[in-house]
Amino acid sequence: MTTLEETFTLRRERVLVPLADRIEAHLKSVFSGFPRIDRISARAKSVARFIGKGAKHEGGIPKYADPLNQIQDQVGARIVTFYASDVEKVRLEIEKYFKYIESKKIVPESESEFGYEGRHFILFVPEDLIDDKLDREESVEFFELQIKTLFQHAWSEAEHDLGYKPSGALTSDQKRRLAFTAAQAWGADQIFNELYRQTSATTVLSEPSPR
Amino acid sequence: MPTPSQQAQAAPATKIDIDSIHSFLIHPGKGAESPHEINGAAVPKSGKLFDMLRPVFDEAEEDCPHKIAFNSQSGQQKNDSRDALIAYIKNCDLNHGRDIAKRLQVVTTHRSGLGLLFLMKGGKNGETKIVVSRFPADSGILAEEKGKGLSVEFLERIFMKSAKTYKAALYSGSSFTKDFWRGQAADKQINSAESVIADYWIREFLLSDFLTPGEAGTRRFAIAVRETMNRCAEPGVKQDIVAMQNFVAKMPSQVVSAKGLLDQFHVPEGTQAQIKDRFPKAKSFEETFTFVPGEFTKLVNMRTIELDNGALLTAPTDRFDQVFTREPVASAVNLFRFSTQGTIVDQRFRKVKP
């Protein structure tokens, strides 16, 4: 009998890796010339991360009874912007060109907390990117898209890496330090956004009037 | 025989037979303070009515050409119409069918009139298929011979006078997480140049929209047109596109397919074939979307002046005035002479940056 790991490994090679390449190329085409985008990328979820996520429990019962159909970020894409205000501009553009079943702004639960932030979408894979040679059961219907600033991206990458260290859960002090770096990233985004707004306004105001 | 575009649509791999049918009489109820009670019944799986409905179910993949998807509500993976559909699939009884019927009733206007809703469901090897269809009420005359006499009666509630005139939506799948978000729809009642499917059927009742958003469909079409213009060497095709582009750029937003749009402007079949070849998939050429004029002009960014003598002068917007010299001939009547010179090397569209 084929295990979940074997099934996903096969799906990853045959379906998800080529699909991620097509999604990345498509996103780059749609956002060609769009200002202040640092990078656009897409990747197939690693086997280890998929199996780890599929084994999660919630309230003592498995969170995913059917991981192959229920886990929606088997392909994940990311758009990283320079400034916080660009995240909203990219969001509006995504809503024009893609059909979504979920769109949410992820922020810490209370005003006094600092942590992960970003805009997440669950998008339909566009029809033109679906490999018609594949059976519907073999492929995925959706992919996840994250839109973040450079600072949000940098923080989440480092935080994700630390969270996967084999040494186990972080101590209270380590979590506090991590929250401190999140606060700094948040502050940097605020200031850069404000500076961008001010300098953009200054550029317009300081332009010489036509003679 | 199904077209290639229909063959490639998401259809169940195996033929699924009908397991159950429920029917509900839907009175107009939009804005009504006390909507009419909804009566329903199970339809037997044999007899003339079943024989009439079976092709609607069996051939739904071919007969429902419009690809649609449920809309997210408030950004969440939730849609009340989808929830009602899934609850019906899971329970398959009159009560859950009535919930769908109520949703249709509250969006049905007096203009749409009385309708008969059928919910047809089947399953095989873990795959479920459901077809939701609405047949309008019609009127007719019943003539019965009684001995040597004739009885003539006017009937107001005739349904399925033509089994080919109805609205329908098809969904299929095996996972309630992954599947039953996208579907196919049809409106075989509509006869309008402005639309191909009634708004109330997909947007109000199904809380859905076309699977391909307007900007995405328009972008795909505009890129195919631009690429054909830039890469095709046939002067006749280029002339067809230049002429068509001028009309399309002025077209208001409307629900179309690329093929429908080109037919609308009488673009010759040879040129249509060239444009179709530039689509990522041939089947997308017939896919329905809402045309967005601004998106088209953004991607096919040429300035064109049309003269009353039929001339179309086209050049990149930023060099148009250098390419063409304009001389007033009779200013009082806005008469101008345009002139230009150069070696004919090619004709091209340019894309504008966002």
Side-chain angles (χ1 to χ4, degrees), chain B residues 156-306:
Chain B
E156 283 185 293
R157 293 187 181 187
I158 297 175
F159 295 93
M160 303 170 74
K161 190 172 153 188
S162 164
K164 293 289 178 191
T165 306
Y166 58 87
K167 292 177 174 38
L170 158 72
Y171 301 91
S172 62
S174 57
S175 162
F176 291 125
T177 306
K178 177 189 168 192
D179 303 322
F180 303 101
W181 275 103
R182 72 167 75 194
Q184 295 170 229
D187 189 345
K188 292 174 178 291
Q189 291 174 257
I190 203 156
N191 186 19
S192 161
E194 291 174 6
S195 188
V196 294
I197 191 160
D199 217 42
Y200 91 90
W201 181 248
I202 60 166
R203 295 202 168 86
E204 294 182 43
F205 170 51
L206 297 171
L207 299 176
S208 298
D209 212 329
F210 294 111
L211 179 62
T212 298
E215 279 83 355
T218 307
R219 179 178 187 273
R220 181 170 60 197
F221 171 68
I223 289 173
V225 169
R226 193 182 68 198
E227 291 299 301
T228 309
M229 183 70 174
N230 291 352
R231 294 173 192 273
C232 178
E234 296 172 41
V237 170
K238 287 177 181 273
Q239 281 308 116
D240 289 341
I241 291 174
V242 167
M244 180 269 293
Q245 182 262 342
N246 194 46
F247 292 115
V248 172
K250 292 175 189 166
M251 199 176 87
S253 178
Q254 67 181 75
V255 175
V256 287
S257 66
K259 175 159 179 45
L261 198 152
L262 296 173
D263 283 344
Q264 193 176 326
F265 295 112
H266 307 289
V267 176
E269 278 189 20
T271 302
Q272 289 201 24
Q274 294 273 352
I275 294 170
K276 185 178 178 180
D277 283 347
R278 305 289 173 190
F279 271 67
K281 290 180 179 178
K283 65 179 181 178
S284 306
F285 189 63
E286 293 181 42
E287 188 181 345
T288 315
F289 62 95
T290 304
F291 179 78
V292 180
E295 184 68 20
F296 182 80
T297 50
K298 189 172 84 177
L299 287 153
V300 187
N301 186 43
M302 301 295 287
R303 180 178 168 197
T304 300
I305 287 184
E306 183 180 354

Side-chain angles (χ1 to χ4, degrees), chain A residues 29-30 32 69-70 72 96-99 101-103 122 124 127-128 130 132 136-137 139 141-142, chain B residues 67 71-72 75-77 172 174 177-178 181-182 213 215-216 219-220 281 283-284 295 298 354:
Chain A
S29 168
V30 168
S32 167
N69 282 321
Q70 289 176 313
Q72 293 171 324
K96 277 195 223 168
Y97 294 99
F98 294 85
K99 180 88 181 153
I101 61 166
E102 184 178 302
S103 168
I122 300 294
F124 279 96
E127 285 279 287
D128 291 339
I130 294 171
D132 288 336
R136 193 173 162 182
E137 289 296 309
S139 192
E141 188 83 351
F142 308 104
Chain B
K67 293 177 185 178
N71 295 326
S72 157
Q76 297 180 336
Q77 293 189 33
S172 62
S174 57
T177 306
K178 177 189 168 192
W181 275 103
R182 72 167 75 194
E215 279 83 355
R219 179 178 187 273
R220 181 170 60 197
K281 290 180 179 178
K283 65 179 181 178
S284 306
E295 184 68 20
K298 189 172 84 177

Side-chain angles (χ1 to χ4, degrees), chain B residues 304-320:
Chain B
T304 300
I305 287 184
E306 183 180 354
L307 303 183
D308 62 358
N309 65 359
L312 291 167
L313 311 177
T314 304
T317 304
D318 59 346
R319 292 194 294 115
F320 190 93

Side-chain angles (χ1 to χ4, degrees), chain A residues 150-164:
Chain A
L150 282 162
F151 284 101
Q152 287 170 347
H153 172 62
W155 185 87
S156 66
E157 287 294 291
E159 190 266 350
H160 201 250
D161 180 62
L162 292 169
Y164 272 82

Side-chain angles (χ1 to χ4, degrees), chain B residues 16-222:
Chain B
I16 293 175
D17 292 323
I18 300 176
D19 291 336
S20 70
I21 303 177
H22 288 107
S23 179
F24 301 88
L25 186 62
I26 311 291
H27 289 260
K30 187 166 188 175
E33 284 184 12
S34 51
H36 203 285
E37 191 177 331
I38 295 176
N39 295 309
V43 177
K45 289 202 294 177
S46 61
K48 286 185 178 175
L49 178 57
F50 181 76
D51 291 343
M52 206 171 186
L53 287 169
R54 189 158 56 185
V56 175
F57 182 85
D58 289 346
E59 294 160 22
E61 287 82 7
E62 290 78 37
D63 288 343
C64 296
H66 308 299
K67 293 177 185 178
I68 57 170
F70 288 113
N71 295 326
S72 157
Q73 287 175 212
S74 306
Q76 297 180 336
Q77 293 189 33
K78 177 172 176 53
N79 179 292
D80 292 341
S81 185
R82 180 177 183 267
D83 290 349
L85 191 82
I86 288 176
Y88 174 75
I89 291 170
K90 286 179 176 173
N91 296 282
C92 206
D93 57 21
L94 273 173
N95 280 341
H96 288 85
R98 191 173 284 108
D99 290 341
I100 296 175
K102 282 179 188 169
R103 298 193 53 77
L104 180 58
Q105 185 182 49
V106 296
V107 299
T108 302
T109 60
H110 285 281
R111 189 180 169 201
S112 299
L114 199 62
L116 200 53
L117 175 73
F118 289 98
L119 304 173
M120 295 176 266
K121 178 187 150 303
K124 192 174 188 179
N125 301 332
E127 181 92 356
T128 299
K129 170 178 169 180
I130 183 164
V131 175
V132 180
S133 61
R134 178 193 182 275
F135 288 79
D138 209 332
S139 55
I141 295 169
L142 175 69
E144 279 186 305
E145 287 180 319
K146 291 180 179 173
K148 290 186 178 179
L150 179 67
S151 158
V152 180
E153 191 183 348
F154 183 73
L155 300 177
E156 283 185 293
R157 293 187 181 187
I158 297 175
F159 295 93
M160 303 170 74
K161 190 172 153 188
S162 164
K164 293 289 178 191
T165 306
Y166 58 87
K167 292 177 174 38
L170 158 72
Y171 301 91
S172 62
S174 57
S175 162
F176 291 125
T177 306
K178 177 189 168 192
D179 303 322
F180 303 101
W181 275 103
R182 72 167 75 194
Q184 295 170 229
D187 189 345
K188 292 174 178 291
Q189 291 174 257
I190 203 156
N191 186 19
S192 161
E194 291 174 6
S195 188
V196 294
I197 191 160
D199 217 42
Y200 91 90
W201 181 248
I202 60 166
R203 295 202 168 86
E204 294 182 43
F205 170 51
L206 297 171
L207 299 176
S208 298
D209 212 329
F210 294 111
L211 179 62
T212 298
E215 279 83 355
T218 307
R219 179 178 187 273
R220 181 170 60 197
F221 171 68

